Amino acid sequence: MQAMDLRGLSPAPVTAFTRDGEVDYAANARIAKWLAGMDGVKSLVILGHAGEGTFLTEEERLKLIRTYVEAVNGQLPIIAGITGEGTKVAAEEARKCKAAGATGALVYPNHGWLRFGFQKGAPQDRYKAIWQESGLQCILFQYPDATKASYDIDTQLAIATQDGVVATKNGVRNMKRWYVEIPELKKANPNLQILSCHDEWLLPTMFDVDGLLVGYGNIAPELLIDLIKAGKAQSYPQARQIFERLLPVTRAVYHRGSHMEGTVALKLGLVHRGVLDHATIREPLKNLGEKAEAEIFAAFEAAGIGRVDQLIAAE
Ligand SMILES: N[C@@H](CC=O)C(=O)O
């Protein structure tokens, strides 16, 4: 197996809808082409939180994968969020995603684990079943420490050393754990690619990662690519400068009441950049209101993040 190279930016694109709430495949293809055309973008991760993946029907999800695969024309791997609850259901979902053209799986924890915690051994069996059933290359998704679905180090090590697991998307949000666990994972599997997803405060993790897998990659991919480079060069001043420039946008999009609002804010950001015509979302997401919209647009102005001209060229 040739592992996906994720050493750079992997944006998690939003899903564009028509004004009446249907999936707008043409608009999604435009997003795919725009992002895929950028040097430093290594994969596109669809059907995740930012992509409202669980708000789509199975038919829509598979059609969206096919749309992305066609749009990027082999330039990049398409990674699908795998969210099915039961292990068998998730493995079956992954098999269908692979048949639709996906290369990778971002494996979400079972939702019940968020509420009750997981039984030892169950997470690694979920990854194993997905890999064996589908052949999709898996990304270990580490949830925040504050949730019961955050895997202890033994569970992470077991998953990280299994066949078919090529990367971890780490959002632990506990630097005591990050500083200890990331080196342990690297020691156990030196090929494991470390991706941060701490959208709301990326800076502290930038010096230890191979890349980013973030919803933030929708709205400021150019600056995030530079931030990754600065982190890899271990240049704190350079990384800090980019972080400061992004700060108004980070605050407007991610320092909100809930991370769920971030997805709505991402769509507004894409409207501001001329990538989307409107920010239609699906329930249970809610619009943020005119005041928040104005704040988000003003934040983009303050950061000097403007419209995307290349999008038109990509069509
Ligand atoms: N950045 C978020 C969004 C999810 O995919 C996270 O940490 O999980």
Side-chain angles (χ1 to χ4, degrees):
M1 176 191 78
Q2 174 72 38
M4 298 181 289
D5 173 10
L6 305 176
R7 295 177 180 83
L9 179 65
S10 290
V14 299
T15 298
F17 298 113
T18 60
R19 285 185 194 274
D20 57 2
E22 298 303 316
V23 177
D24 184 341
Y25 295 99
N28 287 300
R30 276 200 300 279
I31 296 175
K33 285 183 186 164
W34 169 54
L35 292 171
M38 228 168 271
D39 210 17
V41 169
K42 306 300 276 188
S43 77
L44 297 175
V45 185
I46 58 173
L47 304 174
H49 287 132
E52 299 174 66
T54 52
F55 314 159
L56 269 53
T57 65
E58 178 182 279
E59 195 187 335
E60 289 171 333
R61 288 199 301 267
L62 296 175
K63 189 165 173 193
L64 191 66
I65 293 173
R66 290 193 288 271
T67 301
Y68 263 80
V69 169
E70 194 186 320
V72 307
N73 194 24
Q75 270 176 278
L76 293 178
I78 300 305
I79 299 172
I82 301 297
T83 51
E85 285 285 276
T87 299
K88 186 177 164 61
V89 174
E92 175 69 10
E93 177 188 344
R95 190 182 57 72
K96 290 180 186 168
C97 292
K98 170 84 171 181
T103 303
L106 173 61
V107 182
Y108 284 71
N110 167 299
H111 180 262
W113 298 343
L114 278 165
R115 168 75 175 87
F116 303 113
F118 55 89
Q119 291 174 278
K120 290 273 182 209
Q124 44 269 53
D125 285 349
R126 180 173 170 85
Y127 282 81
K128 200 177 294 169
I130 288 171
W131 165 246
Q132 286 174 352
E133 178 73 22
S134 70
L136 286 181
Q137 299 182 31
C138 294
I139 301 177
L140 160 55
F141 195 171
Q142 173 66 329
Y143 265 34
D145 189 37
T147 72
K148 289 191 174 181
S150 187
Y151 304 133
D152 55 80
I153 185 62
D154 289 341
T155 301
Q156 289 178 76
L157 288 171
I159 296 169
T161 50
Q162 272 177 195
D163 284 349
V165 177
V166 300
T168 183
K169 163 177 154 82
N170 191 300
V172 69
R173 293 171 172 80
N174 173 340
M175 293 309 283
K176 284 189 287 185
R177 290 190 62 188
W178 174 278
Y179 289 133
V180 172
E181 294 179 3
I182 295 299
E184 283 199 46
L185 288 166
K186 285 300 277 185
K187 192 168 158 211
N189 179 358
N191 295 322
L192 188 78
Q193 298 169 79
I194 308 294
L195 312 173
S196 173
C197 67
H198 296 83
D199 293 90
E200 68 278 25
W201 43 273
L202 287 168
L203 186 63
T205 62
M206 288 316 301
F207 305 96
D208 308 318
V209 295
D210 296 297
L212 295 177
L213 195 174
V214 280
Y216 210 147
N218 277 275
I219 49 172
E222 308 91 336
L223 287 172
L224 291 188
I225 289 166
D226 289 345
L227 183 61
I228 293 167
K229 283 187 196 147
K232 287 187 182 173
Q234 299 295 307
S235 172
Y236 181 79
Q238 215 183 333
R240 178 91 207 185
Q241 198 181 35
I242 299 165
F243 170 82
E244 295 287 351
R245 179 169 166 199
L246 283 169
L247 198 52
V249 174
T250 308
R251 297 191 64 193
V253 174
Y254 283 111
H255 296 183
R256 309 196 63 83
S258 140
H259 215 80
M260 298 297 285
E261 292 182 28
T263 297
V264 192
L266 288 175
K267 286 193 167 172
L268 290 164
L270 288 171
V271 169
H272 183 79
R273 298 209 65 187
V275 177
L276 290 179
D277 293 335
H278 55 91
T280 303
I281 44 173
R282 269 197 185 169
E283 293 275 351
L285 292 181
K286 295 285 183 193
N287 286 315
L288 302 180
E290 282 176 16
K291 185 166 169 282
E293 289 184 19
E295 280 166 9
I296 291 163
F297 293 158
F300 276 78
E301 295 294 336
I305 301 176
R307 288 181 69 83
V308 175
D309 298 319
Q310 305 94 301
L311 189 67
I312 291 125
E315 285 189 83

